[in-house]
Every structure is written in C-alpha cells, then in structure tokens.
Amino acid sequence: MNSHKQNVPELSSWEEAVLRLRHQPDQWALVRACFYDDPLVEAAQRYHASTEWRAVCPYLPKEQGQALDLGAGRGIASYALARDGWRVTAVEPDPSAVVGAEAIRKLAKETGLPIEVVAQYGEALPFPDHCFDLVHCRAVLHHARNLSALCREVSRVLKPGGISIATREHVISRKADLPAFLESHPLHRLYGGEHAYLLSEYQAAIQAAGLKMTHVLNPYASDINLFPDSRAELKRRIADRLYLPWATLVPGFMIDWLGKRLDQPGRHFSFVAEKPLDA
C-alpha cells in the first residue's frame, strides 16, 4: 500500500529489503522482532504466542466470525486470527512469496487454516458492504496511499457493531519530523515506502469514515505498541532508576502518562473503533 518513496532508496521492493536484512548478522534481532525470519510457520507461531498478540486479543469481538486482515504482509496476524477461531480473508497487494500474498497462501496450505488470500489494495476492497465482523490492520494505515479512502473502505465492509483495530501505526508530532523518522527507519533506507501521519490525521480519517473511536493507545499504553519490549519490562527499568524494590510499585497510570509525553518521530500508536449499530 505504500507510495511514499523518499530519501532515494537503493532497492525496489519490500521483499528485496527484507532479504538484504536477513543477510546482515547485526540485523538478525530486528528480523526476528519483525517476524521476517523463516520458516514462516515458526515465525507465525511465535507471533501468535507473543505479548503483542496477547495484548491485541482483549480488543477483538468476543464471538469469532468473519475477519478481514488488511495489508496482511506475510500473514502472521492472519495465522493468529485463524488459530483463534476466525474465518480470515487476507488482503495483500504485494505478490511476494517472501513477504506477500504468495507467502500467505503457502502458510495457509501448510497449516490447513481457513485463510483466503485476495491480492488488492485497501483503498478499493472487492467486497460487499457489511460483510466482516472484524477488520484488523497491523502497521497498515501509515502505508495508505489515501488514508481517508482506506478508512472509508474499512467502515463500508464492517458489519454494524463490528470492530476495527489498527495497530502499530507510526505517528509524528509535526510534518517537519517526517524526514528524521524516514532517515531512522532501517527498511525505508533500503526500499522507501514508509510513512507516518499526525495523530490527529489518523483520528480524523477514522471518525470521518463513520467509525466510533473507542481506544487510542499511546506508545506505552499497551504491549501492542511496545513489542518486543513490554510494560512489565518498562516498569522494571523505571523501578531500577528510582531505586524501588519491586516493579509493581510503578503504577500503570505513570506509564500511560509517560507514553503521552513521548515526542519521538515514528512512535507507535494503535486505534480501536466500532461501527455504530445504526450505521
């Protein structure tokens, strides 16, 4: 879904960038943290067991139904949803057998999980209105070619009462911060294609699409955004700095407050929204 080519990338595709990272020993921790490693089944299993996915689950509808995994990449979230009982449609425009639609097809075949793969961009979804109980997007909205159009499509295909969750979206505090974020991103330097929006732009696009925002999770508010770090580990580090004997003495509201004060370009936010029953 990306079209934000800036800062002269040296490679032409996401697949090439990931393959380059895999061959750099000093980037191996990043490769595993992003679940770019093979075999894909093991990477998907690791994601399903991760603190990130465990933190996503409480925001999903309690009854499993039809889920759309939008911008599914190599299918790790599609796998997690299917493992947890969802019938999944994975939308991914990249045809890659390493990081795109073909990789998801192989993952579905190897695991026998109910994952249908559709090669399409999110701004023009080939589905009728009101057909999904859940639209899941992991690190997708910031790649949108048209953020407002993408959010309108998410809203259109959701059933009334359905849930939309968009996780790990890059946020900047001001437009002038975008070049610094892109320069710091390890994959953007290789292939371009990364982007970030203002927090207000995400919120405006989601709400203008007719969705009711229920949660805006700041970078420290959830393990969704912190992974591979965690709130528990963050509390432990703060307790050490304050010479506290136990991490449990660090209150959760203090972590949330610190998350709101962050200003780092490209920090992660996540958004949960509901389609009103009368929509």
mmCIF file of all heavy atoms in Angstrom, residues 65-75 77-79 81-83 86-93 100-109 111-120 125-128 131-132:
data_model
loop_
_atom_site.group_PDB
_atom_site.id
_atom_site.type_symbol
_atom_site.label_atom_id
_atom_site.label_comp_id
_atom_site.label_asym_id
_atom_site.label_seq_id
_atom_site.Cartn_x
_atom_site.Cartn_y
_atom_site.Cartn_z
ATOM 1 N N GLY A 65 -16.010 -14.571 14.046
ATOM 2 C CA GLY A 65 -16.796 -14.642 12.827
ATOM 3 C C GLY A 65 -15.894 -14.442 11.632
ATOM 4 O O GLY A 65 -14.835 -15.073 11.535
ATOM 5 N N GLN A 66 -16.303 -13.536 10.746
ATOM 6 C CA GLN A 66 -15.519 -13.239 9.552
ATOM 7 C C GLN A 66 -14.553 -12.085 9.852
ATOM 8 O O GLN A 66 -14.983 -11.020 10.274
ATOM 9 C CB GLN A 66 -16.447 -12.843 8.402
ATOM 10 C CG GLN A 66 -17.375 -13.959 7.926
ATOM 11 C CD GLN A 66 -16.629 -14.995 7.088
ATOM 12 O OE1 GLN A 66 -15.476 -14.796 6.688
ATOM 13 N NE2 GLN A 66 -17.287 -16.103 6.822
ATOM 14 N N ALA A 67 -13.268 -12.332 9.614
ATOM 15 C CA ALA A 67 -12.259 -11.301 9.854
ATOM 16 C C ALA A 67 -11.552 -10.944 8.561
ATOM 17 O O ALA A 67 -11.200 -11.825 7.772
ATOM 18 C CB ALA A 67 -11.236 -11.788 10.876
ATOM 19 N N LEU A 68 -11.345 -9.666 8.367
ATOM 20 C CA LEU A 68 -10.522 -9.175 7.263
ATOM 21 C C LEU A 68 -9.188 -8.725 7.838
ATOM 22 O O LEU A 68 -9.148 -7.837 8.688
ATOM 23 C CB LEU A 68 -11.224 -8.005 6.560
ATOM 24 C CG LEU A 68 -10.414 -7.272 5.485
ATOM 25 C CD1 LEU A 68 -10.091 -8.200 4.333
ATOM 26 C CD2 LEU A 68 -11.180 -6.046 4.996
ATOM 27 N N ASP A 69 -8.105 -9.360 7.391
ATOM 28 C CA ASP A 69 -6.764 -8.928 7.788
ATOM 29 C C ASP A 69 -6.216 -8.095 6.638
ATOM 30 O O ASP A 69 -5.763 -8.619 5.620
ATOM 31 C CB ASP A 69 -5.872 -10.138 8.066
ATOM 32 C CG ASP A 69 -4.521 -9.738 8.637
ATOM 33 O OD1 ASP A 69 -4.403 -8.604 9.156
ATOM 34 O OD2 ASP A 69 -3.581 -10.551 8.559
ATOM 35 N N LEU A 70 -6.294 -6.787 6.801
ATOM 36 C CA LEU A 70 -5.990 -5.850 5.719
ATOM 37 C C LEU A 70 -4.505 -5.498 5.721
ATOM 38 O O LEU A 70 -3.942 -5.152 6.748
ATOM 39 C CB LEU A 70 -6.835 -4.591 5.908
ATOM 40 C CG LEU A 70 -6.773 -3.514 4.836
ATOM 41 C CD1 LEU A 70 -7.139 -4.070 3.474
ATOM 42 C CD2 LEU A 70 -7.700 -2.365 5.205
ATOM 43 N N GLY A 71 -3.870 -5.583 4.540
ATOM 44 C CA GLY A 71 -2.431 -5.356 4.465
ATOM 45 C C GLY A 71 -1.701 -6.435 5.235
ATOM 46 O O GLY A 71 -0.864 -6.168 6.091
ATOM 47 N N ALA A 72 -2.010 -7.689 4.909
ATOM 48 C CA ALA A 72 -1.625 -8.822 5.753
ATOM 49 C C ALA A 72 -0.146 -9.171 5.700
ATOM 50 O O ALA A 72 0.302 -10.013 6.486
ATOM 51 C CB ALA A 72 -2.454 -10.043 5.359
ATOM 52 N N GLY A 73 0.608 -8.582 4.773
ATOM 53 C CA GLY A 73 2.038 -8.874 4.715
ATOM 54 C C GLY A 73 2.292 -10.339 4.424
ATOM 55 O O GLY A 73 1.791 -10.890 3.454
ATOM 56 N N ARG A 74 3.057 -11.018 5.296
ATOM 57 C CA ARG A 74 3.333 -12.449 5.090
ATOM 58 C C ARG A 74 2.390 -13.331 5.892
ATOM 59 O O ARG A 74 2.595 -14.533 5.985
ATOM 60 C CB ARG A 74 4.793 -12.757 5.357
ATOM 61 C CG ARG A 74 5.289 -12.467 6.762
ATOM 62 C CD ARG A 74 6.827 -12.404 6.812
ATOM 63 N NE ARG A 74 7.498 -13.421 6.050
ATOM 64 C CZ ARG A 74 8.290 -14.360 6.581
ATOM 65 N NH1 ARG A 74 8.463 -14.435 7.892
ATOM 66 N NH2 ARG A 74 8.905 -15.223 5.813
ATOM 67 N N GLY A 75 1.361 -12.713 6.546
ATOM 68 C CA GLY A 75 0.253 -13.490 7.078
ATOM 69 C C GLY A 75 0.340 -13.888 8.539
ATOM 70 O O GLY A 75 -0.437 -14.723 8.996
ATOM 71 N N ALA A 77 -0.537 -12.261 11.277
ATOM 72 C CA ALA A 77 -1.770 -11.944 12.008
ATOM 73 C C ALA A 77 -2.939 -12.762 11.477
ATOM 74 O O ALA A 77 -3.825 -13.153 12.244
ATOM 75 C CB ALA A 77 -2.075 -10.453 11.927
ATOM 76 N N SER A 78 -2.951 -13.039 10.165
ATOM 77 C CA SER A 78 -3.987 -13.920 9.604
ATOM 78 C C SER A 78 -3.911 -15.280 10.280
ATOM 79 O O SER A 78 -4.939 -15.880 10.627
ATOM 80 C CB SER A 78 -3.783 -14.078 8.092
ATOM 81 O OG SER A 78 -3.890 -12.846 7.426
ATOM 82 N N TYR A 79 -2.699 -15.773 10.444
ATOM 83 C CA TYR A 79 -2.492 -17.059 11.122
ATOM 84 C C TYR A 79 -3.021 -16.997 12.550
ATOM 85 O O TYR A 79 -3.745 -17.904 12.988
ATOM 86 C CB TYR A 79 -1.000 -17.394 11.122
ATOM 87 C CG TYR A 79 -0.615 -18.582 11.965
ATOM 88 C CD1 TYR A 79 -0.592 -19.867 11.422
ATOM 89 C CD2 TYR A 79 -0.276 -18.427 13.302
ATOM 90 C CE1 TYR A 79 -0.247 -20.967 12.199
ATOM 91 C CE2 TYR A 79 0.073 -19.516 14.088
ATOM 92 C CZ TYR A 79 0.084 -20.779 13.532
ATOM 93 O OH TYR A 79 0.432 -21.857 14.313
ATOM 94 N N LEU A 81 -5.263 -14.979 13.901
ATOM 95 C CA LEU A 81 -6.721 -14.898 13.909
ATOM 96 C C LEU A 81 -7.338 -16.268 13.620
ATOM 97 O O LEU A 81 -8.275 -16.699 14.304
ATOM 98 C CB LEU A 81 -7.184 -13.876 12.859
ATOM 99 C CG LEU A 81 -6.949 -12.401 13.208
ATOM 100 C CD1 LEU A 81 -7.056 -11.537 11.956
ATOM 101 C CD2 LEU A 81 -7.944 -11.927 14.262
ATOM 102 N N ALA A 82 -6.831 -16.954 12.594
ATOM 103 C CA ALA A 82 -7.379 -18.263 12.235
ATOM 104 C C ALA A 82 -7.153 -19.273 13.360
ATOM 105 O O ALA A 82 -8.033 -20.103 13.637
ATOM 106 C CB ALA A 82 -6.745 -18.745 10.930
ATOM 107 N N ARG A 83 -5.999 -19.229 14.002
ATOM 108 C CA ARG A 83 -5.730 -20.133 15.118
ATOM 109 C C ARG A 83 -6.737 -19.921 16.249
ATOM 110 O O ARG A 83 -7.074 -20.852 16.978
ATOM 111 C CB ARG A 83 -4.317 -19.908 15.664
ATOM 112 C CG ARG A 83 -3.204 -20.631 14.931
ATOM 113 C CD ARG A 83 -3.160 -22.128 15.276
ATOM 114 N NE ARG A 83 -3.048 -22.361 16.703
ATOM 115 C CZ ARG A 83 -1.895 -22.479 17.366
ATOM 116 N NH1 ARG A 83 -0.760 -22.382 16.699
ATOM 117 N NH2 ARG A 83 -1.863 -22.694 18.658
ATOM 118 N N TRP A 86 -11.138 -17.534 13.941
ATOM 119 C CA TRP A 86 -11.722 -16.637 12.943
ATOM 120 C C TRP A 86 -11.609 -17.237 11.550
ATOM 121 O O TRP A 86 -10.638 -17.918 11.228
ATOM 122 C CB TRP A 86 -11.010 -15.279 12.970
ATOM 123 C CG TRP A 86 -11.281 -14.490 14.216
ATOM 124 C CD1 TRP A 86 -10.607 -14.565 15.393
ATOM 125 C CD2 TRP A 86 -12.309 -13.533 14.401
ATOM 126 N NE1 TRP A 86 -11.150 -13.706 16.313
ATOM 127 C CE2 TRP A 86 -12.200 -13.056 15.729
ATOM 128 C CE3 TRP A 86 -13.318 -13.023 13.587
ATOM 129 C CZ2 TRP A 86 -13.069 -12.095 16.252
ATOM 130 C CZ3 TRP A 86 -14.181 -12.063 14.101
ATOM 131 C CH2 TRP A 86 -14.045 -11.614 15.424
ATOM 132 N N ARG A 87 -12.611 -16.965 10.697
ATOM 133 C CA ARG A 87 -12.522 -17.263 9.270
ATOM 134 C C ARG A 87 -11.944 -16.015 8.615
ATOM 135 O O ARG A 87 -12.556 -14.937 8.659
ATOM 136 C CB ARG A 87 -13.900 -17.617 8.710
ATOM 137 C CG ARG A 87 -14.513 -18.848 9.383
ATOM 138 C CD ARG A 87 -15.860 -19.215 8.788
ATOM 139 N NE ARG A 87 -16.852 -18.151 8.941
ATOM 140 C CZ ARG A 87 -17.531 -17.920 10.063
ATOM 141 N NH1 ARG A 87 -17.317 -18.668 11.129
ATOM 142 N NH2 ARG A 87 -18.414 -16.951 10.116
ATOM 143 N N VAL A 88 -10.765 -16.154 8.027
ATOM 144 C CA VAL A 88 -9.954 -14.981 7.686
ATOM 145 C C VAL A 88 -9.860 -14.761 6.176
ATOM 146 O O VAL A 88 -9.617 -15.704 5.414
ATOM 147 C CB VAL A 88 -8.524 -15.140 8.259
ATOM 148 C CG1 VAL A 88 -7.677 -13.910 7.927
ATOM 149 C CG2 VAL A 88 -8.578 -15.360 9.774
ATOM 150 N N THR A 89 -10.040 -13.521 5.775
ATOM 151 C CA THR A 89 -9.696 -13.082 4.426
ATOM 152 C C THR A 89 -8.502 -12.146 4.557
ATOM 153 O O THR A 89 -8.583 -11.126 5.246
ATOM 154 C CB THR A 89 -10.864 -12.334 3.755
ATOM 155 O OG1 THR A 89 -11.990 -13.215 3.676
ATOM 156 C CG2 THR A 89 -10.477 -11.880 2.361
ATOM 157 N N ALA A 90 -7.396 -12.528 3.935
ATOM 158 C CA ALA A 90 -6.178 -11.718 3.996
ATOM 159 C C ALA A 90 -6.043 -10.922 2.706
ATOM 160 O O ALA A 90 -5.997 -11.497 1.617
ATOM 161 C CB ALA A 90 -4.961 -12.628 4.189
ATOM 162 N N VAL A 91 -5.979 -9.610 2.827
ATOM 163 C CA VAL A 91 -5.801 -8.743 1.656
ATOM 164 C C VAL A 91 -4.373 -8.230 1.641
ATOM 165 O O VAL A 91 -3.922 -7.608 2.608
ATOM 166 C CB VAL A 91 -6.794 -7.566 1.693
ATOM 167 C CG1 VAL A 91 -6.421 -6.518 0.647
ATOM 168 C CG2 VAL A 91 -8.207 -8.060 1.445
ATOM 169 N N GLU A 92 -3.661 -8.512 0.569
ATOM 170 C CA GLU A 92 -2.273 -8.093 0.457
ATOM 171 C C GLU A 92 -1.939 -7.848 -1.025
ATOM 172 O O GLU A 92 -2.007 -8.783 -1.824
ATOM 173 C CB GLU A 92 -1.336 -9.158 1.042
ATOM 174 C CG GLU A 92 0.140 -8.898 0.832
ATOM 175 C CD GLU A 92 0.564 -7.522 1.307
ATOM 176 O OE1 GLU A 92 0.299 -7.169 2.462
ATOM 177 O OE2 GLU A 92 1.141 -6.779 0.489
ATOM 178 N N PRO A 93 -1.577 -6.637 -1.377
ATOM 179 C CA PRO A 93 -1.311 -6.360 -2.797
ATOM 180 C C PRO A 93 0.042 -6.856 -3.286
ATOM 181 O O PRO A 93 0.219 -7.073 -4.483
ATOM 182 C CB PRO A 93 -1.383 -4.828 -2.866
ATOM 183 C CG PRO A 93 -1.008 -4.363 -1.500
ATOM 184 C CD PRO A 93 -1.560 -5.407 -0.567
ATOM 185 N N GLY A 100 4.630 -11.427 0.944
ATOM 186 C CA GLY A 100 3.343 -11.015 0.401
ATOM 187 C C GLY A 100 2.336 -12.136 0.242
ATOM 188 O O GLY A 100 2.350 -13.124 0.981
ATOM 189 N N ALA A 101 1.463 -11.970 -0.756
ATOM 190 C CA ALA A 101 0.302 -12.847 -0.917
ATOM 191 C C ALA A 101 0.680 -14.315 -1.097
ATOM 192 O O ALA A 101 0.016 -15.205 -0.545
ATOM 193 C CB ALA A 101 -0.537 -12.366 -2.107
ATOM 194 N N GLU A 102 1.715 -14.596 -1.871
ATOM 195 C CA GLU A 102 2.084 -15.992 -2.095
ATOM 196 C C GLU A 102 2.595 -16.629 -0.801
ATOM 197 O O GLU A 102 2.364 -17.826 -0.558
ATOM 198 C CB GLU A 102 3.147 -16.097 -3.188
ATOM 199 C CG GLU A 102 3.436 -17.516 -3.641
ATOM 200 C CD GLU A 102 2.192 -18.262 -4.127
ATOM 201 O OE1 GLU A 102 1.268 -17.604 -4.648
ATOM 202 O OE2 GLU A 102 2.146 -19.497 -3.972
ATOM 203 N N ALA A 103 3.279 -15.850 0.018
ATOM 204 C CA ALA A 103 3.726 -16.374 1.313
ATOM 205 C C ALA A 103 2.526 -16.766 2.176
ATOM 206 O O ALA A 103 2.543 -17.804 2.856
ATOM 207 C CB ALA A 103 4.578 -15.334 2.037
ATOM 208 N N ILE A 104 1.466 -15.961 2.150
ATOM 209 C CA ILE A 104 0.270 -16.269 2.953
ATOM 210 C C ILE A 104 -0.401 -17.538 2.433
ATOM 211 O O ILE A 104 -0.856 -18.380 3.208
ATOM 212 C CB ILE A 104 -0.725 -15.092 2.926
ATOM 213 C CG1 ILE A 104 -0.054 -13.790 3.336
ATOM 214 C CG2 ILE A 104 -1.894 -15.385 3.867
ATOM 215 C CD1 ILE A 104 -0.934 -12.564 3.129
ATOM 216 N N ARG A 105 -0.472 -17.666 1.104
ATOM 217 C CA ARG A 105 -1.086 -18.887 0.529
ATOM 218 C C ARG A 105 -0.333 -20.129 0.996
ATOM 219 O O ARG A 105 -0.944 -21.140 1.364
ATOM 220 C CB ARG A 105 -1.096 -18.786 -0.993
ATOM 221 C CG ARG A 105 -2.052 -17.726 -1.553
ATOM 222 C CD ARG A 105 -2.193 -17.821 -3.062
ATOM 223 N NE ARG A 105 -3.053 -16.766 -3.581
ATOM 224 C CZ ARG A 105 -2.618 -15.609 -4.074
ATOM 225 N NH1 ARG A 105 -1.296 -15.376 -4.131
ATOM 226 N NH2 ARG A 105 -3.462 -14.695 -4.503
ATOM 227 N N LYS A 106 0.991 -20.076 0.971
ATOM 228 C CA LYS A 106 1.787 -21.226 1.417
ATOM 229 C C LYS A 106 1.565 -21.492 2.903
ATOM 230 O O LYS A 106 1.465 -22.654 3.329
ATOM 231 C CB LYS A 106 3.276 -20.961 1.140
ATOM 232 C CG LYS A 106 3.642 -20.951 -0.333
ATOM 233 C CD LYS A 106 5.136 -20.700 -0.519
ATOM 234 C CE LYS A 106 5.516 -20.695 -1.989
ATOM 235 N NZ LYS A 106 6.959 -20.400 -2.179
ATOM 236 N N LEU A 107 1.476 -20.417 3.683
ATOM 237 C CA LEU A 107 1.242 -20.566 5.123
ATOM 238 C C LEU A 107 -0.110 -21.233 5.378
ATOM 239 O O LEU A 107 -0.213 -22.146 6.218
ATOM 240 C CB LEU A 107 1.291 -19.191 5.794
ATOM 241 C CG LEU A 107 1.039 -19.143 7.302
ATOM 242 C CD1 LEU A 107 2.125 -19.909 8.057
ATOM 243 C CD2 LEU A 107 0.995 -17.673 7.785
ATOM 244 N N ALA A 108 -1.135 -20.800 4.654
ATOM 245 C CA ALA A 108 -2.467 -21.385 4.823
ATOM 246 C C ALA A 108 -2.468 -22.857 4.425
ATOM 247 O O ALA A 108 -3.079 -23.699 5.090
ATOM 248 C CB ALA A 108 -3.478 -20.596 3.995
ATOM 249 N N LYS A 109 -1.775 -23.178 3.324
ATOM 250 C CA LYS A 109 -1.735 -24.570 2.847
ATOM 251 C C LYS A 109 -0.999 -25.463 3.841
ATOM 252 O O LYS A 109 -1.451 -26.568 4.152
ATOM 253 C CB LYS A 109 -1.059 -24.619 1.483
ATOM 254 C CG LYS A 109 -1.041 -26.006 0.860
ATOM 255 C CD LYS A 109 -0.421 -25.984 -0.526
ATOM 256 C CE LYS A 109 -0.428 -27.385 -1.145
ATOM 257 N NZ LYS A 109 0.187 -27.371 -2.510
ATOM 258 N N THR A 111 -0.563 -25.066 7.045
ATOM 259 C CA THR A 111 -1.211 -25.173 8.352
ATOM 260 C C THR A 111 -2.644 -25.662 8.266
ATOM 261 O O THR A 111 -3.222 -26.072 9.293
ATOM 262 C CB THR A 111 -1.210 -23.798 9.062
ATOM 263 O OG1 THR A 111 -1.921 -22.852 8.249
ATOM 264 C CG2 THR A 111 0.206 -23.312 9.294
ATOM 265 N N GLY A 112 -3.235 -25.607 7.059
ATOM 266 C CA GLY A 112 -4.618 -26.032 6.908
ATOM 267 C C GLY A 112 -5.616 -25.092 7.554
ATOM 268 O O GLY A 112 -6.769 -25.477 7.792
ATOM 269 N N LEU A 113 -5.208 -23.865 7.808
ATOM 270 C CA LEU A 113 -6.099 -22.899 8.455
ATOM 271 C C LEU A 113 -6.968 -22.178 7.423
ATOM 272 O O LEU A 113 -6.571 -22.015 6.267
ATOM 273 C CB LEU A 113 -5.263 -21.878 9.244
ATOM 274 C CG LEU A 113 -4.567 -22.439 10.486
ATOM 275 C CD1 LEU A 113 -3.585 -21.424 11.064
ATOM 276 C CD2 LEU A 113 -5.592 -22.843 11.545
ATOM 277 N N PRO A 114 -8.175 -21.722 7.826
ATOM 278 C CA PRO A 114 -9.116 -21.094 6.891
ATOM 279 C C PRO A 114 -8.735 -19.650 6.568
ATOM 280 O O PRO A 114 -9.289 -18.697 7.133
ATOM 281 C CB PRO A 114 -10.446 -21.178 7.645
ATOM 282 C CG PRO A 114 -10.053 -21.117 9.091
ATOM 283 C CD PRO A 114 -8.741 -21.858 9.191
ATOM 284 N N ILE A 115 -7.764 -19.489 5.682
ATOM 285 C CA ILE A 115 -7.306 -18.158 5.280
ATOM 286 C C ILE A 115 -7.436 -18.046 3.765
ATOM 287 O O ILE A 115 -6.760 -18.776 3.023
ATOM 288 C CB ILE A 115 -5.842 -17.910 5.686
ATOM 289 C CG1 ILE A 115 -5.650 -18.112 7.185
ATOM 290 C CG2 ILE A 115 -5.403 -16.513 5.260
ATOM 291 C CD1 ILE A 115 -4.195 -18.072 7.634
ATOM 292 N N GLU A 116 -8.302 -17.142 3.317
ATOM 293 C CA GLU A 116 -8.435 -16.848 1.885
ATOM 294 C C GLU A 116 -7.592 -15.621 1.576
ATOM 295 O O GLU A 116 -7.609 -14.647 2.337
ATOM 296 C CB GLU A 116 -9.898 -16.570 1.525
ATOM 297 C CG GLU A 116 -10.111 -16.219 0.059
ATOM 298 C CD GLU A 116 -11.538 -15.809 -0.243
ATOM 299 O OE1 GLU A 116 -12.361 -15.805 0.691
ATOM 300 O OE2 GLU A 116 -11.819 -15.481 -1.410
ATOM 301 N N VAL A 117 -6.861 -15.659 0.485
ATOM 302 C CA VAL A 117 -5.964 -14.564 0.147
ATOM 303 C C VAL A 117 -6.500 -13.803 -1.066
ATOM 304 O O VAL A 117 -6.845 -14.415 -2.086
ATOM 305 C CB VAL A 117 -4.538 -15.079 -0.153
ATOM 306 C CG1 VAL A 117 -3.596 -13.905 -0.430
ATOM 307 C CG2 VAL A 117 -4.021 -15.915 1.020
ATOM 308 N N VAL A 118 -6.558 -12.490 -0.950
ATOM 309 C CA VAL A 118 -7.013 -11.623 -2.031
ATOM 310 C C VAL A 118 -5.937 -10.576 -2.286
ATOM 311 O O VAL A 118 -5.509 -9.884 -1.357
ATOM 312 C CB VAL A 118 -8.343 -10.923 -1.666
ATOM 313 C CG1 VAL A 118 -8.746 -9.933 -2.753
ATOM 314 C CG2 VAL A 118 -9.437 -11.951 -1.425
ATOM 315 N N ALA A 119 -5.491 -10.488 -3.521
ATOM 316 C CA ALA A 119 -4.467 -9.509 -3.895
ATOM 317 C C ALA A 119 -5.144 -8.207 -4.293
ATOM 318 O O ALA A 119 -5.731 -8.105 -5.372
ATOM 319 C CB ALA A 119 -3.613 -10.046 -5.040
ATOM 320 N N GLN A 120 -5.103 -7.226 -3.411
ATOM 321 C CA GLN A 120 -5.796 -5.951 -3.676
ATOM 322 C C GLN A 120 -5.270 -4.889 -2.722
ATOM 323 O O GLN A 120 -4.735 -5.212 -1.656
ATOM 324 C CB GLN A 120 -7.306 -6.130 -3.475
ATOM 325 C CG GLN A 120 -8.145 -4.908 -3.768
ATOM 326 C CD GLN A 120 -7.958 -4.382 -5.186
ATOM 327 O OE1 GLN A 120 -7.018 -3.626 -5.448
ATOM 328 N NE2 GLN A 120 -8.838 -4.784 -6.090
ATOM 329 N N LEU A 125 -11.618 -2.140 -1.862
ATOM 330 C CA LEU A 125 -11.814 -3.530 -1.451
ATOM 331 C C LEU A 125 -12.910 -4.199 -2.289
ATOM 332 O O LEU A 125 -13.990 -3.619 -2.466
ATOM 333 C CB LEU A 125 -12.195 -3.578 0.031
ATOM 334 C CG LEU A 125 -11.102 -3.117 0.999
ATOM 335 C CD1 LEU A 125 -11.641 -3.034 2.429
ATOM 336 C CD2 LEU A 125 -9.897 -4.054 0.954
ATOM 337 N N PRO A 126 -12.656 -5.415 -2.774
ATOM 338 C CA PRO A 126 -13.622 -6.100 -3.649
ATOM 339 C C PRO A 126 -14.659 -6.904 -2.875
ATOM 340 O O PRO A 126 -14.908 -8.075 -3.186
ATOM 341 C CB PRO A 126 -12.703 -7.016 -4.478
ATOM 342 C CG PRO A 126 -11.622 -7.386 -3.515
ATOM 343 C CD PRO A 126 -11.397 -6.156 -2.639
ATOM 344 N N PHE A 127 -15.245 -6.290 -1.860
ATOM 345 C CA PHE A 127 -16.214 -6.994 -1.017
ATOM 346 C C PHE A 127 -17.489 -6.164 -0.903
ATOM 347 O O PHE A 127 -17.444 -4.926 -0.981
ATOM 348 C CB PHE A 127 -15.636 -7.223 0.386
ATOM 349 C CG PHE A 127 -14.265 -7.848 0.393
ATOM 350 C CD1 PHE A 127 -13.172 -7.151 0.879
ATOM 351 C CD2 PHE A 127 -14.068 -9.135 -0.096
ATOM 352 C CE1 PHE A 127 -11.896 -7.708 0.874
ATOM 353 C CE2 PHE A 127 -12.808 -9.707 -0.105
ATOM 354 C CZ PHE A 127 -11.721 -8.988 0.381
ATOM 355 N N PRO A 128 -18.629 -6.829 -0.687
ATOM 356 C CA PRO A 128 -19.882 -6.071 -0.494
ATOM 357 C C PRO A 128 -19.882 -5.349 0.851
ATOM 358 O O PRO A 128 -19.027 -5.578 1.708
ATOM 359 C CB PRO A 128 -20.950 -7.175 -0.541
ATOM 360 C CG PRO A 128 -20.232 -8.427 -0.180
ATOM 361 C CD PRO A 128 -18.824 -8.286 -0.672
ATOM 362 N N CYS A 131 -19.860 -6.983 5.534
ATOM 363 C CA CYS A 131 -19.634 -8.437 5.439
ATOM 364 C C CYS A 131 -18.594 -8.961 6.430
ATOM 365 O O CYS A 131 -18.392 -10.177 6.505
ATOM 366 C CB CYS A 131 -19.245 -8.827 4.019
ATOM 367 S SG CYS A 131 -17.769 -8.026 3.397
ATOM 368 N N PHE A 132 -17.951 -8.098 7.214
ATOM 369 C CA PHE A 132 -16.940 -8.568 8.169
ATOM 370 C C PHE A 132 -17.297 -8.129 9.591
ATOM 371 O O PHE A 132 -17.774 -7.021 9.810
ATOM 372 C CB PHE A 132 -15.550 -8.024 7.811
ATOM 373 C CG PHE A 132 -15.001 -8.594 6.532
ATOM 374 C CD1 PHE A 132 -15.020 -7.851 5.363
ATOM 375 C CD2 PHE A 132 -14.481 -9.889 6.497
ATOM 376 C CE1 PHE A 132 -14.523 -8.375 4.175
ATOM 377 C CE2 PHE A 132 -13.985 -10.423 5.316
ATOM 378 C CZ PHE A 132 -14.010 -9.670 4.158
#
